[in-house]
Amino acid sequence: MSSGLMSYVWEGLGNTLLLTVFGALLGLVFAFIAGLGRSSERTWVRGIAMVYTEIFRGFPSLVLLFALIFIVPTFGYQLNPLFAGILALALNIGAYAAEVVRGAVKAVPPGQIEAAIALNFTPWQRLRKVVLPQAVVAMIPPFTNNLIELLKATSLVSLVYISDLTFSAQLIRASTGETALVFFGLLVGYGVIALFFTAIMKLLERMAARSLGRTVPSGLFGRKEVAA
Amino acid sequence: MTTTNGEFITFDGVHKSFGKNVVLDDLSFSVGEGERVTLIGPSGSGKTTILRMLMTLTRPDRGTIGVDGDYLYHEKRGDQLVPASDGHIRKVRSRITMVFQHFNLFPNMKVLRNVTEAPIHVLGKPKDEAEARGKELLELVGLGDKLDAHPSQLSGGQQQRVAIARALAVDPDVLLLDEVTSALDPELAAEVLDVLRDIAKTTDVTMLLVTHAMKFARDVSHRVLMFNEGRIIEDASPEQLFNEPEHERTKSFLRSVIDET
Ligand SMILES: Nc1ncnc2c1ncn2[C@@H]1O[C@H](COP(=O)(O)OP(=O)(O)O)[C@@H](O)[C@H]1O
Ligand SMILES: [Mg+2]
């Protein structure tokens, strides 16, 4: 492949990784705000959080992206396309991951919170020192699924001319005519990136489990069996 | 026994129901400063509910609960008694702590940190001071060699002893113990009860205990309250209550628990 075409590959790879990583980080912020919001004692906080998760889970990421790119400018403000991509992906994945946060927080045994009250921790300390460190361990495996979903969804941005991996593949295909080969390479590329992210998450999972004095069997496909 | 204040903890007209189930109806009693009082009675008679209300884990529907002159759920504003603010509840609660049936150690903290976290972050003690005291307390409960263990690596009896050290570390005036050996095998229960006997002998902390270990109750308590259906039906010294119970219900209850063990 010529160096000109290779540079498409690198640019595409860079943007795909950028969209995935920043989409995930921003999505994580949305997920925690909405997920904890849904566990709040205040009705209005719960309400806002619920509206966000219900609405944004229902929007296809692509439609959300079109909205950000084509509707927002009518209010006189043009979003950077890459940022619009990150935001659309983050809003969508954040709504899914919020449910993960909510479920994991709810799964912390009530006795843990009662012990924290008996030691007179403030509500914020209960959350930060007792609930979240335990809940996060339970969040990581489902977050891995969310992250892979996000990675796959990044390919949608090629439809608004952001030069991600899929967009680059289209360019290369157009200039070489090697349709089958290029799309095969694209599949392999996404597969390798997915494996890479899965491996990182597996590492995080093991670290988190260790913080609770548990062990997770090693290996990328090791099942999450927890030894007490 | 000498109590400086016979009304250190007071329940006055306390009522609690869960739905239609009336658990406590117009309950009044008091506990003196430094007194160790054991609550006994059949399962479901409301013993846990009483401790949980003192720990602010369950709110009473009516009545007042006082700790050393302060109401737990009420504040005096002028002559009026108004519902307590969170700050007021936290202030009164700072004098009380509880050990639970299922230990409830924090799995995300190693043993020493379980014990030092509240002294450092709630009481504001310097870290080295809290750690020195934490080690001392873990030594006292026989776990001086487990400072760096995860709770999950300990036996139930060891976990419960850590929980006791953790409770003592916040320098409570009132210690609540709710069936702290019920989840343990007899052998492990015995080691926990031995630790508690030592503590009872060496501290003057006010204790409210719920237990089915009657010999232990007899050894450590100044007073025993027999509960039945949310009411105190007998209030006596352990000698009196265990040797010559007055009520038929107390007699049958004592027979049933002694048969069990
Ligand atoms: N959170 C709760 N919700 C509903 N009912 C409860 C709750 N906690 C306790 N109860 C009921 O209150 C009664 C007294 O319970 P409890 O105080 O635990 O009794 P004891 O500790 O003496 O066995 C029981 O009938 C129990 O079912
Ligand atoms: Mg009970």
Side-chain angles (χ1 to χ4, degrees):
Chain A
M1 209 187 297
S2 79
S3 68
L5 293 183
M6 264 332 267
S7 74
Y8 283 142
V9 173
W10 295 128
E11 188 187 351
L13 179 66
N15 280 336
T16 291
L17 291 178
L18 196 83
L19 285 156
T20 309
V21 170
F22 284 95
L25 291 177
L26 189 59
L28 202 59
V29 172
F30 292 149
F32 268 88
I33 293 174
L36 294 178
R38 290 199 71 168
S39 324
S40 167
E41 285 170 14
R42 286 177 233 277
T43 320
W44 64 270
V45 177
R46 275 205 312 276
I48 293 175
M50 196 178 87
V51 167
Y52 162 71
T53 49
E54 292 307 324
I55 288 188
F56 281 88
R57 274 198 304 180
F59 288 156
S61 295
L62 182 60
V63 178
L64 202 57
L65 184 59
F66 283 154
L68 288 177
I69 288 187
F70 300 114
I71 300 180
V72 171
T74 63
F75 295 100
Y77 190 79
Q78 184 76 51
L79 289 176
N80 167 306
L82 205 54
F83 177 71
I86 289 170
L87 187 60
L89 292 165
L91 282 169
N92 183 256
I93 209 71
Y96 280 98
E99 289 298 292
V100 172
V101 171
R102 182 168 78 116
V105 164
K106 219 168 107 182
V108 173
Q112 288 292 310
I113 297 154
E114 292 174 355
I117 292 174
L119 294 170
N120 214 12
F121 285 128
T122 62
W124 171 242
Q125 286 174 325
R126 283 174 222 157
L127 184 67
R128 198 165 52 85
K129 292 178 179 299
V130 177
V131 175
L132 282 182
Q134 297 178 47
V136 162
V137 180
M139 290 176 205
I140 295 175
F143 275 171
T144 307
N145 294 336
N146 294 146
L147 183 63
I148 301 307
E149 286 301 321
L150 173 64
L151 167 67
K152 292 189 288 185
T154 58
S155 65
L156 296 171
V157 302
S158 61
L159 295 172
V160 292
Y161 305 103
I162 296 171
S163 52
D164 76 324
L165 214 49
T166 303
F167 189 82
S168 300
Q170 296 281 19
L171 290 182
I172 295 168
R173 190 181 64 93
S175 77
T176 61
E178 295 275 9
T179 301
L181 190 64
V182 169
F183 280 143
F184 178 71
L186 189 60
L187 277 180
V188 172
Y190 277 110
V192 169
I193 299 171
L195 280 179
F196 167 73
F197 280 122
T198 306
I200 289 179
M201 293 300 282
K202 202 78 202 169
L203 201 70
L204 286 180
E205 189 186 338
R206 286 157 59 85
M207 279 164 53
R210 231 186 352 254
S211 76
L212 299 191
R214 301 172 183 167
T215 52
V216 176
S218 56
L220 194 53
F221 303 104
R223 285 178 49 87
K224 197 188 143 250
E225 293 294 334
V226 243
Chain B
M1 189 198 68
T2 54
T3 53
T4 48
N5 175 1
E7 303 224 316
F8 193 64
I9 298 170
T10 56
F11 276 63
D12 193 4
V14 171
H15 183 101
K16 179 73 201 174
S17 18
F18 294 103
K20 286 205 186 92
N21 179 10
V22 179
V23 178
L24 301 172
D25 187 15
D26 197 21
L27 175 73
S28 301
F29 71 97
S30 59
V31 173
E33 187 169 8
E35 201 177 14
R36 292 189 293 275
V37 174
T38 299
L39 316 184
I40 63 169
S43 173
S45 58
K47 308 178 298 293
T48 295
T49 303
I50 290 169
L51 298 197
R52 289 177 58 87
M53 286 196 298
L54 256 172
M55 198 63 262
T56 68
L57 300 174
T58 300
R59 239 187 143 83
D61 303 327
R62 284 203 298 276
T64 58
I65 298 173
V67 178
D68 197 16
D70 281 320
Y71 290 113
L72 194 45
Y73 295 98
H74 302 85
E75 262 174 284
K76 292 185 196 111
R77 189 159 303 152
D79 295 341
Q80 294 235 323
L81 217 49
V82 297
S85 63
D86 289 349
H88 177 85
I89 291 178
R90 243 174 83 69
K91 194 189 92 206
V92 183
R93 184 169 60 206
S94 69
R95 313 189 59 177
I96 309 170
T97 194
M98 182 158 171
V99 180
F100 300 86
Q101 186 174 350
H102 296 287
F103 336 131
N104 302 350
L105 293 185
F106 303 128
N108 53 310
M109 302 179 195
K110 289 180 176 177
V111 164
L112 181 60
R113 217 182 124 210
N114 260 280
V115 178
T116 57
E117 196 70 1
I120 294 170
H121 296 285
V122 178
L123 305 181
K125 279 195 187 178
K127 188 160 184 261
D128 46 355
E129 190 183 307
E131 289 190 343
R133 173 85 175 128
K135 286 175 189 167
E136 202 178 284
L137 287 167
L138 285 165
E139 205 71 58
L140 177 77
V141 299
L143 293 170
D145 57 338
K146 299 286 186 194
L147 307 179
D148 260 336
H150 284 284
S152 59
Q153 296 163 332
L154 303 183
S155 74
Q158 290 172 327
Q159 290 189 47
Q160 193 59 297
R161 286 184 280 148
V162 175
I164 291 166
R166 180 175 73 172
L168 293 174
V170 296
D171 299 326
D173 296 323
V174 179
L175 181 61
L176 309 173
L177 301 157
D178 188 15
E179 298 205 34
V180 297
T181 57
S182 294
L184 300 174
D185 294 337
E187 206 172 317
L188 301 183
E191 71 190 24
V192 171
L193 294 179
D194 284 343
V195 162
L196 286 174
R197 274 194 185 87
D198 283 351
I199 290 166
K201 282 201 194 83
T202 53
T203 69
D204 52 6
V205 56
T206 305
M207 291 191 196
L208 253 72
L209 311 97
V210 175
T211 183
H212 292 295
M214 292 302 159
K215 187 170 176 314
F216 167 73
R218 186 192 296 241
D219 292 347
V220 302
S221 357
H222 299 117
R223 192 149 64 98
V224 181
L225 305 181
M226 168 73 195
F227 275 81
N228 195 42
E229 295 175 352
R231 288 170 185 283
I232 299 171
I233 60 168
E234 202 158 344
D235 174 350
S237 71
E239 295 76 26
Q240 167 78 39
L241 195 132
F242 290 119
N243 298 339
E244 297 161 58
E246 276 181 10
H247 276 256
E248 214 32 65
R249 186 69 190 91
T250 314
K251 286 178 197 165
S252 66
F253 172 73
L254 287 175
R255 269 198 303 277
S256 74
V257 279
I258 285 159
D259 282 350
E260 267 173 32
T261 45

